[in-house]
Amino acid sequence: MTTSSNTGRRPVIVQKYGGSSLASAKHIHNVAARIQARKDDGVDVIVVVSAMGDSTDDLIALSDAVTHGQTPDAREMDTLLSTGELVSSTLMAMALKSDGYDAISLSGIQAGIKTDMVHGSARIADIKTDRIRKELDKGRIVIVAGFQGLAESGDITTLGRGGSDTTAVALAVAAEAERCEIYTDVDGIYTTDPRLTDKARKLAEIGFQEMLEMAVLGAKMNPRSIELGAVYDMPVYVASSFSYEPGTLIHGGEHTMEVRKAVTGIAVDRNVGKITVRGVIDRPGVAAGLLQPLADAGVSVDVIVQNASSDGTTDFTFTVAQASVDKAAQVLGSDSDVEYSEVVTGSDLAKVSIVGTGMENAPGYAAKMFSTLSEVGVNIDMITTSEIRITTIIEKDQLQKAVQALHDAFELEKTE
Amino acid sequence: MTTSSNTGRRPVIVQKYGGSSLASAKHIHNVAARIQARKDDGVDVIVVVSAMGDSTDDLIALSDAVTHGQTPDAREMDTLLSTGELVSSTLMAMALKSDGYDAISLSGIQAGIKTDMVHGSARIADIKTDRIRKELDKGRIVIVAGFQGLAESGDITTLGRGGSDTTAVALAVAAEAERCEIYTDVDGIYTTDPRLTDKARKLAEIGFQEMLEMAVLGAKMNPRSIELGAVYDMPVYVASSFSYEPGTLIHGGEHTMEVRKAVTGIAVDRNVGKITVRGVIDRPGVAAGLLQPLADAGVSVDVIVQNASSDGTTDFTFTVAQASVDKAAQVLGSDSDVEYSEVVTGSDLAKVSIVGTGMENAPGYAAKMFSTLSEVGVNIDMITTSEIRITTIIEKDQLQKAVQALHDAFELEKTE
């Protein structure tokens, strides 16, 4: 846990509430009560809000309708979408004031959030917290419209997917907050997807690097905000906005005094397709020659495996989202200059990863994972590893069996 | 017609479209086609838009819900309501671009509209047109979010009722436009309410002062925008956004070469109640003593008539909206220090006015009006006059008869 260098002032807490927590006037009032309780703790509270419920989808539907489905102008789209968070932030400030708490809403511009000029996925360049600080010093709760900022041109930008989480963590860093609290419709980070095993256990804490690897676990945490927390060592607490159950604290693991387990959790992805390009003539530039046309066609490639070749040809295998398999095969058949003998596709696959910083300098985890899967009859199709993660691709219908066996083998149901 | 001093550049036209003209994606596309036709005339086009259809009402309903019906904070309300015009302006720019026309939306802030700090009914202090000019010079159609501006504090303000009309006329003045075109769901200004006589005729033109007196005629023109047009001599053209029928040009009458009729039109108001305070002890301060408590209670008083007194007491009569009669009587009974003998209320009244700058220096119009009404058996309850208007209060059930008789008597069905 970091301690604030913001001496002589009340501690600052940043809270973020997502769209499903703000779906109606009633939801807004429930969240207002939570904010008030936090303010009553004697801290300065900055709240970042997303757009209400499905309102962003409604705006996107309108833009589709006026452009007859053409891609709308990115600058106009950013201003359009930024209105969703203006609505929720002003309503939240009104709700707090009607309950007798002094509050003020600030747009991204008013909150001093400066970004680069990449409309639709801008990155925060700087935050000038003068106005926020001034309002906090008046005793006010400050409600900031998430997801948006101001480019140097004077144009409104949006931060893309997970943008409000990014706003919250960046504001916590800029305002020297104690921590950033993300309230959402999940109640924390679990050892694995609870739908796959009833032994899945909520983690009280997890390190930033582990969390980045686990991001697919369904915590709906955007990797950008976790990276930002990691870089600035800003603890991020993830919990439900619908209950008062304890959530999960994501933090810089080095501060933890406890003995940690090697494996923290099991990440899964049910939506995996596979492309194998056989008989590729193995020369420099082949990987780029295969992947660039896919990138140009908007197909995202996940796991990539290339085996060493012996006869001057190699097999090149990669995974894509299941829905992209046919498109990927078609692109390789028409737009690639690389010589190969055939393209083989596979679908109904799943990805299972064990994640944990403790694996980094300890041997044997890969062997234990593979033997565990073998013992329950799960066949491993592909393997990749990072320093703190071992990933296997398996048949989707064996996913539950695999996760249950691994959860038992690494004793994830037991607390640290 | 004024000519622009904006020499060496294309003429500038400002168009304004109201919410009912922008109620859906289809409406927006229809309006986009009209804007394109205007741009194809070879002029620079600035478009001011209101919020789509009922979207402002929807936002107000949300604010009522989160405040449980308390009056929401005015600053928050302004930011909330300003989003409606941001949505319509960005969608319009997208629609134009998808049709191959270069366009850009500007918020009130980006359009350089500076206001005072009166949230909910701010007045425009200044408009810096640099950004608009820059965009026009790139050949772009500029779409400005109406109804909003920026206070010196950095907070968003709204201009109150009819604010988008005010934005349009003010922008026309600042950008040295040829004229300001207001497109709405009525197709122009009529000699009187067409529901009262089928002889009502659309006026091709009308002077600013006459238009101010006629504002109640149902043209939905906000008096502020007409005043602004009058002060800066900016011609304002009012027409339907749903047809290409010619509308009405409101302008500084002195430029008109034609012989004008004395009476331009007949204004009506069906919603009139009356309060008579009898036996008022006539001393200085009596009028204020009666009216201030009403103002404090939010009751708007319209026509006021006080007859000269002979015995030291006087009768004081005024009209209010019919729905306010009971409240007004109650306030006079409890909150007024003025001595009087009794309060008498009346309702089911109507106001009929003949309007025309030609009456200013010509006698006989009042006599003709009163004799016309008398001939058809209409009893006149109250009379007030201004330089270019004669107003009578009559029984509501005699309104149609009165208007038809006056329309005939002043030959309003004939063109000038």
Side-chain angles (χ1 to χ4, degrees):
Chain A
M1 198 79 174
T2 56
T3 48
S4 175
S5 64
N6 174 24
T7 46
R9 281 177 165 147
R10 289 182 293 270
V12 175
I13 294 292
V14 175
Q15 297 193 321
K16 180 260 172 176
Y17 293 93
S20 60
S21 310
L22 305 165
S24 70
K26 192 166 170 7
H27 284 80
I28 287 173
H29 256 285
N30 290 343
V31 168
R34 302 177 69 101
I35 294 169
Q36 291 160 21
R38 202 69 172 103
K39 174 71 179 167
D40 292 343
D41 292 341
V43 298
D44 279 344
V45 183
I46 302 168
V47 178
V48 176
V49 291
S50 299
M52 292 175 71
D54 300 326
S55 61
T56 300
D57 291 341
D58 295 344
L59 293 173
I60 291 171
L62 272 174
S63 73
D64 280 346
V66 298
T67 60
H68 299 308
Q70 294 172 48
T71 305
D73 181 79
R75 175 189 178 280
E76 301 300 338
M77 197 69 186
D78 271 3
T79 303
L80 178 67
L81 294 184
S82 74
T83 64
E85 282 75 16
L86 294 178
V87 168
S88 55
S89 62
T90 53
L91 291 174
M92 184 60 75
M94 288 178 192
L96 288 165
K97 293 197 92 161
S98 82
D99 287 344
Y101 283 74
D102 198 6
I104 187 167
S105 76
L106 298 178
S107 66
I109 300 172
Q110 292 166 339
I113 298 170
K114 316 274 185 194
T115 75
D116 63 21
M117 294 189 55
V118 183
H119 284 294
S121 58
R123 298 190 81 89
I124 295 176
D126 189 24
I127 302 185
K128 299 272 178 238
T129 57
D130 310 27
R131 175 82 187 261
I132 290 178
R133 191 65 257 173
K134 202 176 77 180
E135 302 295 348
L136 291 175
D137 287 346
K138 288 181 189 165
R140 288 178 169 163
I141 300 166
V142 176
I143 316 293
V144 177
F147 180 63
Q148 59 187 266
L150 183 71
E152 226 174 314
S153 60
D155 292 326
I156 293 167
T157 52
T158 66
L159 307 181
R161 212 177 164 75
S164 291
D165 288 355
T166 307
T167 301
V169 177
L171 271 176
V173 171
E176 298 180 2
E178 295 274 326
R179 69 182 193 178
C180 179
E181 301 174 350
I182 310 265
Y183 292 98
T184 173
D185 50 6
V186 298
D187 62 356
I189 313 300
Y190 280 75
T191 52
T192 193
D193 185 338
R195 287 172 295 183
L196 292 172
T197 167
D198 52 16
K199 294 184 185 164
R201 178 176 56 80
K202 195 184 342 178
L203 295 161
E205 55 176 336
I206 186 171
F208 283 117
Q209 298 311 317
E210 293 169 320
M211 184 64 218
L212 280 169
E213 298 282 7
M214 296 281 281
V216 288
L217 262 182
K220 296 191 186 170
M221 283 292 298
N222 185 261
R224 269 169 73 189
S225 56
I226 303 170
E227 279 167 24
L228 201 57
V231 168
Y232 292 98
D233 200 17
M234 172 56 61
V236 178
Y237 178 74
V238 180
S240 169
S241 68
F242 297 99
S243 80
Y244 285 89
E245 292 292 307
T248 302
L249 186 67
I250 313 169
H251 64 112
E254 63 277 25
H255 298 289
T256 307
M257 302 290 291
E258 310 164 53
V259 177
R260 302 286 306 267
K261 278 198 195 154
V263 175
T264 303
I266 303 167
V268 298
D269 179 0
R270 289 173 178 75
N271 177 32
V272 179
K274 183 179 72 164
I275 309 278
T276 300
V277 189
R278 293 202 199 282
V280 177
I281 306 298
D282 195 9
R283 60 169 72 111
V286 158
L290 287 169
L291 297 179
Q292 190 59 51
L294 292 169
D296 294 345
V299 175
S300 289
V301 170
D302 184 15
V303 172
I304 303 172
V305 175
Q306 182 188 358
N307 287 330
S309 60
S310 56
D311 64 347
T313 70
T314 185
D315 294 349
F316 192 93
T317 303
F318 55 87
T319 64
V320 296
Q322 187 152 330
S324 302
V325 169
D326 290 346
K327 186 169 183 188
Q330 184 201 322
V331 169
L332 289 173
S334 59
D335 296 348
S336 173
D337 300 330
V338 175
E339 296 170 63
Y340 58 80
S341 53
E342 64 171 338
V343 169
V344 182
T345 63
S347 55
D348 290 324
L349 299 172
K351 186 166 72 168
V352 181
S353 309
I354 60 171
V355 175
T357 46
M359 299 196 297
E360 205 167 348
N361 302 305
Y365 292 97
K368 185 170 181 180
M369 181 181 190
F370 303 152
S371 64
T372 301
L373 292 176
S374 165
E375 278 161 24
V376 294
V378 172
N379 190 48
I380 301 171
D381 196 32
M382 292 166 73
I383 298 171
T384 68
T385 64
S386 79
E387 289 177 350
I388 64 165
R389 173 183 50 76
I390 303 167
T391 295
T392 60
I393 303 293
I394 64 173
E395 296 289 320
K396 193 190 290 186
D397 58 14
Q398 297 193 304
L399 176 63
Q400 184 154 18
K401 187 163 64 174
V403 168
Q404 288 174 350
L406 292 170
H407 208 269
D408 286 344
F410 291 104
E411 299 183 324
L412 297 184
E413 79 279 12
K414 298 186 187 159
T415 53
E416 292 107 66
Chain B
M1 196 78 174
T2 56
T3 48
S4 175
S5 64
N6 173 24
T7 44
R9 283 177 164 147
R10 287 181 295 268
V12 175
I13 294 293
V14 175
Q15 297 193 321
K16 180 257 173 179
Y17 293 92
S20 60
S21 309
L22 304 166
S24 70
K26 191 166 170 8
H27 284 81
I28 287 174
H29 256 286
N30 290 343
V31 168
R34 300 177 70 100
I35 295 170
Q36 291 160 20
R38 202 69 172 103
K39 175 71 179 167
D40 292 343
D41 291 343
V43 299
D44 279 343
V45 182
I46 302 169
V47 178
V48 176
V49 290
S50 298
M52 290 175 73
D54 300 327
S55 61
T56 300
D57 292 340
D58 295 343
L59 292 172
I60 291 170
L62 271 175
S63 73
D64 281 346
V66 298
T67 60
H68 300 309
Q70 293 172 47
T71 305
D73 182 80
R75 176 189 177 279
E76 300 300 336
M77 197 67 186
D78 272 3
T79 303
L80 178 67
L81 294 184
S82 74
T83 64
E85 283 76 15
L86 293 178
V87 168
S88 55
S89 62
T90 53
L91 291 174
M92 184 60 77
M94 287 179 194
L96 288 165
K97 292 197 92 159
S98 82
D99 287 344
Y101 283 75
D102 198 6
I104 187 167
S105 77
L106 297 178
S107 66
I109 301 172
Q110 292 167 339
I113 298 170
K114 317 273 186 194
T115 74
D116 62 22
M117 294 189 55
V118 184
H119 284 294
S121 58
R123 297 191 83 90
I124 294 175
D126 190 24
I127 302 184
K128 299 272 178 237
T129 56
D130 310 26
R131 175 81 187 263
I132 291 177
R133 191 66 255 173
K134 202 177 77 180
E135 302 296 347
L136 290 175
D137 286 346
K138 289 180 189 164
R140 289 178 169 163
I141 299 165
V142 176
I143 316 293
V144 177
F147 179 65
Q148 61 186 264
L150 183 72
E152 226 175 316
S153 60
D155 292 326
I156 293 167
T157 52
T158 66
L159 307 181
R161 213 177 163 73
S164 291
D165 288 354
T166 306
T167 301
V169 177
L171 271 177
V173 171
E176 299 180 2
E178 295 274 326
R179 71 181 191 177
C180 179
E181 301 175 349
I182 310 265
Y183 293 98
T184 175
D185 50 6
V186 298
D187 62 354
I189 313 301
Y190 279 74
T191 52
T192 193
D193 185 337
R195 288 171 295 182
L196 292 172
T197 167
D198 53 16
K199 292 183 186 165
R201 179 176 55 81
K202 193 179 354 177
L203 295 161
E205 56 175 336
I206 186 172
F208 284 118
Q209 298 310 318
E210 293 169 319
M211 185 63 219
L212 279 170
E213 300 280 8
M214 295 282 279
V216 289
L217 261 182
K220 296 191 185 169
M221 282 293 296
N222 185 262
R224 270 170 72 190
S225 56
I226 303 169
E227 280 169 22
L228 202 57
V231 168
Y232 292 98
D233 201 18
M234 172 56 62
V236 177
Y237 178 74
V238 180
S240 169
S241 67
F242 297 98
S243 78
Y244 285 89
E245 291 292 307
T248 301
L249 185 67
I250 312 168
H251 63 113
E254 64 274 27
H255 298 287
T256 307
M257 300 293 289
E258 310 164 53
V259 176
R260 301 285 307 265
K261 276 199 195 155
V263 175
T264 303
I266 303 167
V268 299
D269 178 0
R270 290 172 178 75
N271 176 34
V272 179
K274 182 178 73 163
I275 309 280
T276 301
V277 189
R278 292 201 200 284
V280 177
I281 307 298
D282 195 11
R283 59 171 72 110
V286 158
L290 287 169
L291 296 179
Q292 190 60 50
L294 292 169
D296 295 344
V299 175
S300 290
V301 171
D302 184 18
V303 172
I304 302 171
V305 175
Q306 182 188 358
N307 287 330
S309 61
S310 56
D311 64 348
T313 69
T314 185
D315 294 348
F316 191 93
T317 303
F318 55 87
T319 65
V320 296
Q322 187 151 329
S324 302
V325 169
D326 291 346
K327 186 170 184 187
Q330 184 202 321
V331 168
L332 289 172
S334 60
D335 298 348
S336 174
D337 301 329
V338 174
E339 296 171 63
Y340 59 80
S341 53
E342 64 172 338
V343 169
V344 182
T345 63
S347 54
D348 291 325
L349 300 171
K351 187 166 71 169
V352 181
S353 309
I354 59 170
V355 175
T357 46
M359 299 194 297
E360 206 168 348
N361 301 307
Y365 292 98
K368 184 169 181 181
M369 181 181 190
F370 304 152
S371 65
T372 300
L373 292 176
S374 165
E375 279 161 22
V376 294
V378 172
N379 190 47
I380 300 171
D381 196 33
M382 292 166 72
I383 298 171
T384 68
T385 63
S386 78
E387 289 178 350
I388 65 166
R389 172 182 53 75
I390 303 166
T391 294
T392 60
I393 304 293
I394 64 173
E395 296 290 320
K396 193 190 290 186
D397 58 13
Q398 298 194 305
L399 177 62
Q400 184 153 18
K401 188 164 63 174
V403 168
Q404 288 174 349
L406 292 169
H407 207 270
D408 287 345
F410 291 103
E411 301 185 322
L412 298 184
E413 78 280 9
K414 298 186 188 159
T415 52
E416 290 106 69

